[in-house]
Amino acid sequence: MLDTGTEAPAFSLPDHVGREVSLAEFEGRRVVLYFYPRADTPGCTTEACGFRDAYDEFEEREAAILGLSDDPVEDLEAFARKHDLPFPLLSDEDGSVADAYDSYGEKNVFGNVVEGVFRNTYLIGPDGRIERVYEGVSPEDHAEELLADIDELRDGDADS
């Protein structure tokens, strides 16, 4: 995992509607960049719907949400539509961006070793530096955990 305080690796990827999305367009805002293994599987759906349900709270805190997997755009579009997801889902089909964030590699899935995306999250600060790292997260209550951490960081910003 990347260390807090380091600059978040830049990227530009297609989202679920085929629009190019880059990290640079969120400069000045916090970004929740969450990596998930596969669209429309139980854990990934739970995690995405948690972010969906708390979306307004993230917006109130001026924090963007970006989901990233190695699924093709078409699968992401169907997933976003089916679950009414209001934030971009990014397609990293070759895993290069996930790899840059130490969130891609070999894993054991039902007894088979496969290459894929790990369930990790990075909270990136308005300055483009990593503020928090979440490795192997549990999909349940992850959105609430991030909101609490954003509030803590914002309180610290106000004290500065």
Side-chain angles (χ1 to χ4, degrees):
M1 297 296 294
L2 301 177
D3 293 328
T4 58
T6 61
E7 189 169 330
F11 61 81
S12 184
L13 291 170
D15 73 2
H16 62 280
V17 295
R19 183 180 78 88
E20 269 314 289
V21 174
S22 68
L23 182 59
E25 66 190 74
F26 298 96
E27 186 176 339
R29 292 181 70 187
R30 282 195 166 91
V31 175
V32 172
L33 178 61
Y34 83 95
F35 296 84
Y36 62 97
R38 187 69 50 222
D40 216 18
T41 57
C44 297
T45 300
T46 296
E47 186 174 24
C49 289
F51 284 120
R52 176 202 63 201
D53 295 347
Y55 183 74
D56 290 342
E57 294 177 67
F58 283 97
E59 285 290 296
E60 288 169 10
R61 291 163 176 81
E62 298 179 357
I65 301 168
L66 301 174
L68 188 148
S69 74
D70 60 356
D71 291 303
V73 169
E74 301 77 33
D75 291 357
L76 297 179
E77 192 275 331
F79 182 46
R81 187 173 10 91
K82 179 178 179 181
H83 298 287
D84 197 26
L85 303 178
F87 49 85
L89 298 177
L90 306 179
S91 175
D92 181 27
E93 285 194 76
D94 68 1
S96 60
V97 173
D99 188 52
Y101 281 85
D102 292 336
S103 295
Y104 190 86
E106 286 188 356
K107 56 187 184 173
N108 192 319
V109 179
F110 303 116
N112 298 312
V113 176
V114 298
E115 292 270 316
V117 176
F118 305 138
R119 190 180 308 280
N120 297 331
T121 300
Y122 287 91
L123 181 58
I124 301 168
D127 61 356
R129 297 196 172 279
I130 295 169
E131 292 183 313
R132 293 279 199 282
V133 176
Y134 309 82
E135 186 173 10
V137 302
S138 171
E140 298 85 13
D141 303 321
H142 188 45
E144 289 77 14
E145 175 184 22
L146 279 150
L147 287 167
D149 285 353
I150 290 169
D151 286 344
E152 179 185 308
L153 289 162
R154 288 177 59 184
D155 288 346
D157 292 347
D159 294 341
S160 303

